Amino acid sequence: ADLLITFSIAQETSETRAIAATLPLWWRFLQCLRRARDSVVLKRGGAAKTHLLNAGKYSASIIAIWLRYNASVREDSHTTAVWIIAYVATGFSVCYSLTWDFFCDWSVLEFSPTSKWKVVVSTRRTLINSTVGWTFAVWFNVFARSAGLFAAVPGLPIQNLSTQVIV
């Protein structure tokens, strides 16, 4: 949103912020759907179920942003049903995204029917070789997922935090 406003392509409005916040999410959502199709039609790229669950992560974020946008336009009080629904959707989105990241992207947690839940240091640490750097990246991911979703629409508790700075 900040680049659109800077180059006078759009004006600073809550609609601009909501649209700009959801565009990358839509892009990734469509990529996940394409990968699911490729895995079924072309028999490559893993299981379709995995790609559809990953698409769910992005759709949950899109829905949460638009519910908060709707609440910010309609209601001033953050205790109305519209805001409560928006906050529940945001909480679900953040939990869904972090669960996906911890299990699939970062491999922080693993589940095995024989050993139950266990916390492990990533076995897939291919991009970050340092344990300290990897740990920082995981915690930054938690912060960025939470703050980025909350900052997407004006009128929220962290309204002055720019999404582009965080995400």
Side-chain angles (χ1 to χ4, degrees), residues 32-165:
C32 292
L33 293 181
R34 182 191 50 88
R35 286 180 179 168
R37 182 196 61 91
D38 288 351
S39 68
V40 172
V41 175
L42 303 175
K43 306 284 189 231
R44 66 172 188 194
K49 180 181 176 182
T50 304
H51 297 298
L52 292 175
L53 287 171
N54 196 15
K57 173 175 74 170
Y58 297 107
S59 64
S61 296
I62 292 167
I63 291 167
I65 289 171
W66 283 106
L67 283 173
R68 282 195 328 279
Y69 164 74
N70 181 45
S72 72
V73 170
R74 294 175 150 218
E75 303 286 340
D76 286 336
S77 172
H78 285 258
T79 58
T80 61
V82 175
W83 272 108
I84 291 170
I85 291 169
Y87 282 133
V88 167
T90 300
F92 173 78
S93 173
V94 168
C95 290
Y96 189 159
S97 296
L98 289 176
T99 301
W100 182 268
D101 290 347
F102 284 173
F103 279 98
C104 298
D105 292 342
W106 290 91
S107 300
V108 174
L109 300 172
E110 290 181 359
F111 179 74
S112 168
T114 57
S115 64
K116 305 295 181 207
W117 297 97
K118 64 179 181 174
V119 178
V120 297
V121 176
S122 177
T123 56
R124 294 181 4 169
R125 217 178 331 135
T126 56
L127 295 176
I128 303 172
N129 292 327
S130 162
T131 302
V132 173
W134 178 83
T135 304
F136 173 78
V138 169
W139 282 108
F140 180 77
N141 183 42
V142 171
F143 172 75
R145 287 260 184 233
S146 304
L149 276 173
F150 276 100
V153 179
L156 294 170
I158 320 174
Q159 69 188 28
N160 295 325
L161 191 57
S162 174
T163 311
Q164 274 64 37
V165 171

